[in-house]
Amino acid sequence: MYAVHINYLRTMPALQDRQNQDKRAILKAYLVDSPAGLFLLEKTGKIAEKALFPRNPKDAAVKLNEVRQGQLPPEFSEFANRLSQMGLEKLTVDNEYLARILRTFLTSEVVLDERDETISKLRNRLPNMLVRFRIVESKDDYEKLVHDVSMEIAQASIAETGTKRDLYAIQTVRCIEDLDKVLNLLAGRIREWYGLHFPELDRLVEKHDSYIRLVQSLGTRDSFSQESLVEMGIPQERGRIISEAAQKSSGADLPQPDLLWLQEVCATVLQMYKLRETAEKYTDKIMLEVAPNMTGVLGAVLSAKILSMAGGLENVGKMPASTIQVLGAEKALFRTLKTGARPPKHGIIFQYAAIHQSPRWLRGRIARAVAGKLAIAARMDAFGGSNEGDKMRTALEKKLSDLKDRYQGQPPKKKHATQWRPPPQRVRRDLPDRGGRGRETRYPQPGPGRERLRRGNRQSWR
């Protein structure tokens, strides 16, 4: 009994030291996420705690997506309680969403280190550890699970992205832009076509849709009487001028079969104009739902064009006002960076009536004011905010009126310290000759290739 007691006393310190070592090892741990679940790992690779996801890839993708959004699934509350009761001093993670989850229920230190070498090694060893602890049957099964879960997450992300309403507004305004290109091409073709019969009409009617409507309704130039033009909506004085030009026209006769085919083309183009009007109305409707503040400031079509260039409402909300101001003028901006030319003052927002109808010296200031107000409106629409489009438009109009009152005349041009000047036509320099006297050498301007070669050969012969 005495010997047994002595051996017990001898072994007790060793057992206590081992327990203290285990306790010290568990005070520092690493939390790793995977398609199989959440795992609390020690530095040695031991799994201290785990919260397993369902084996079904679709359900596992839902849980993993919740974790990546910074939310712990409700069924993992017991796992959170176990972590909080372990008394960890330091817990290291390699992504932001895990750190955000842990800081909600842990009082210990949570360290975010995306380049931690220990976590990288543990992630590489995780498949083998899961096989050893029989969480998965083999490494191939784990790789298949990772593939299936990743595909489910990708499909869910695509479906979520497709539900954003601003993408539909972008497609609608791009459809309007394509219609404008096609209509301009067809209108030019019809003007050139009908100009063979009535060339004077081209300069008398500026709007394409009005020109095409006259051709489709009236036909030959003999039908262009003043009464018929007034019935078509043409002003009386303008109708008189067009009717007189039709009587004195120098165009050729238009055969009836050619006229019928031209009128059929005109009818199709007029239907495309109606389609464009319908697309504009739909853009107004959808932009009032997606970005009411931007629509109140700029209008539906121009706001949708800005969304199209930026790639979405959220991207516009993240842009500063200076970027929104030159959005669409990338070529001019890069030319400024390359050659040192003057930077652009405005991009696509030049289509705003208050900018392109203002004097040239005032457009930059107005564009800056519009871009600043638009940046605020985009942030309110993208990240949550009330509909204050009317109030913002009123404030913008007041700001623009103040700018016009303050800068009524053209300001004097600024004199820069270093001004760029074109090089002289002839470059001269003094070169010492053999006798010590200076001589003047003239370098001629480069001309055609052959002349330049002959001139160089003559100088070398001399």
Side-chain angles (χ1 to χ4, degrees):
M1 290 293 294
Y2 180 75
V4 172
H5 181 68
I6 292 298
N7 292 332
Y8 173 75
L9 294 177
R10 289 176 178 175
T11 56
M12 278 298 295
L15 292 173
Q16 291 178 357
D17 292 342
R18 185 176 300 175
Q19 292 178 359
N20 292 334
Q21 290 178 1
D22 294 342
K23 187 176 181 181
R24 284 194 299 270
I26 203 65
L27 291 180
K28 183 178 180 181
Y30 304 88
L31 186 65
V32 176
D33 63 323
S34 75
L38 302 178
F39 300 95
L40 184 69
L41 303 175
E42 301 180 13
K43 191 173 183 179
T44 58
K46 180 181 177 181
I47 299 178
E49 289 291 343
K50 61 181 180 298
L52 299 179
F53 292 151
R55 294 300 300 271
N56 185 10
K58 188 172 184 179
D59 298 336
V62 172
K63 301 301 178 184
L64 185 59
N65 196 19
E66 290 182 8
V67 172
R68 291 184 175 179
Q69 291 177 359
Q71 301 175 359
L72 190 67
E75 55 269 21
F76 288 173
S77 58
E78 186 178 353
F79 172 73
N81 294 332
R82 292 198 301 267
L83 290 185
S84 59
Q85 293 174 3
M86 291 180 67
L88 298 172
E89 291 184 358
K90 185 178 180 181
L91 187 57
T92 307
V93 294
D94 60 348
N95 48 61
E96 179 63 30
Y97 51 86
L98 285 179
R100 188 163 59 250
I101 291 174
L102 293 174
R103 286 165 183 163
T104 57
F105 61 87
L106 284 183
T107 57
S108 56
E109 181 184 3
V110 179
V111 179
L112 175 60
D113 190 357
E114 298 178 356
R115 300 181 180 180
D116 191 277
E117 297 180 357
T118 305
I119 295 183
S120 300
K121 294 179 181 178
L122 291 175
R123 283 190 178 277
N124 294 332
R125 294 167 54 189
L126 184 61
N128 296 327
M129 289 188 289
L130 296 180
V131 173
R132 183 176 32 176
F133 289 103
R134 298 181 180 179
I135 297 175
V136 294
E137 295 180 0
S138 63
K139 192 174 180 180
D140 295 336
D141 292 341
Y142 179 76
E143 292 178 355
K144 186 176 183 302
L145 177 64
V146 172
H147 176 267
D148 295 341
V149 172
S150 301
M151 291 297 295
E152 291 290 340
I153 292 176
Q155 291 177 2
S157 301
I158 292 172
E160 183 181 358
T161 303
T163 57
K164 293 182 178 180
R165 295 287 290 168
D166 57 342
L167 299 181
Y168 293 94
I170 290 172
Q171 295 300 325
T172 305
V173 77
R174 289 179 180 176
C175 178
I176 293 176
E177 292 175 353
D178 294 338
L179 284 174
D180 289 337
K181 293 178 182 178
V182 174
L183 288 173
N184 288 332
L185 288 174
L186 292 176
R189 176 60 56 202
I190 291 173
R191 282 178 178 269
E192 184 178 355
W193 193 345
Y194 194 72
L196 301 174
H197 175 64
F198 189 5
E200 293 81 7
L201 186 63
D202 188 17
R203 60 180 178 81
L204 295 176
V205 180
E206 296 181 356
K207 292 184 178 181
H208 292 326
D209 54 345
S210 300
Y211 186 97
I212 297 171
R213 192 174 292 108
L214 291 176
V215 175
Q216 196 268 339
S217 300
L218 300 180
T220 59
R221 62 173 181 262
D222 298 335
S223 303
F224 280 73
S225 62
Q226 186 175 1
E227 293 78 10
S228 60
L229 291 173
V230 171
E231 291 178 359
M232 293 291 298
I234 304 297
Q236 188 172 3
E237 182 63 24
R238 177 66 62 176
R240 184 185 61 80
I241 296 174
I242 294 175
S243 63
E244 292 178 358
Q247 295 174 3
K248 301 177 183 180
S249 177
S250 60
D253 294 334
L254 186 62
Q256 189 67 19
D258 295 337
L259 177 61
L260 293 177
W261 170 236
L262 178 58
Q263 287 178 335
E264 185 176 352
V265 174
C266 292
T268 304
V269 175
L270 290 176
Q271 290 179 359
M272 295 179 66
Y273 273 105
K274 292 181 180 179
L275 177 63
R276 190 190 183 283
E277 293 178 0
T278 306
E280 280 191 357
K281 293 179 181 179
Y282 178 73
T283 305
D284 295 342
K285 180 181 177 181
I286 195 172
M287 285 300 295
L288 286 175
E289 299 176 4
V290 174
N293 293 299
M294 290 182 63
T295 305
V297 173
L298 280 189
V301 177
L302 186 53
S303 300
K305 288 182 179 180
I306 292 176
L307 295 185
S308 176
M309 288 186 174
L313 179 60
E314 187 175 352
N315 295 339
V316 180
K318 294 178 181 179
M319 287 181 179
S322 57
T323 303
I324 297 176
Q325 181 179 349
V326 297
L327 193 64
E330 287 80 9
K331 291 184 178 180
L333 186 61
F334 292 140
R335 183 173 63 247
T336 299
L337 299 175
K338 184 177 180 180
T339 63
R342 290 186 177 181
K345 297 180 180 179
H346 36 64
I348 189 66
I349 61 173
F350 180 74
Q351 298 181 8
Y352 187 57
I355 297 178
H356 68 259
Q357 293 179 359
S358 299
R360 186 175 298 274
W361 66 83
L362 199 57
R363 292 174 183 173
R365 293 181 172 88
I366 294 178
R368 192 180 304 117
V370 173
K373 192 65 68 175
L374 187 62
I376 299 173
R379 292 184 180 95
M380 294 176 67
D381 292 331
F383 306 111
S386 58
N387 185 2
E388 298 182 359
D390 297 336
K391 187 186 298 183
M392 298 179 73
R393 184 175 63 252
T394 304
L396 179 61
E397 291 175 355
K398 183 179 179 182
K399 175 70 175 177
L400 298 184
S401 62
D402 294 341
L403 287 174
K404 292 179 181 179
D405 294 339
R406 190 184 307 172
Y407 302 98
Q408 294 181 358
Q410 184 175 3
K413 294 183 179 180
K414 295 182 180 179
K415 294 183 179 180
H416 300 280
T418 56
Q419 294 184 356
W420 182 83
R421 296 179 179 177
Q425 294 182 356
R426 294 184 178 181
V427 181
R428 299 180 178 181
R429 63 176 181 176
D430 294 336
L431 295 175
D433 57 0
R434 295 180 180 179
R437 294 174 299 175
R439 67 177 182 179
E440 188 178 78
T441 305
R442 297 185 179 182
Y443 292 87
Q445 285 291 322
R450 294 181 180 179
E451 288 294 330
R452 187 164 60 251
L453 291 175
R454 291 174 183 175
R455 195 178 295 117
N457 292 334
R458 286 198 297 269
Q459 290 179 0
S460 62
W461 294 339
R462 292 175 185 176

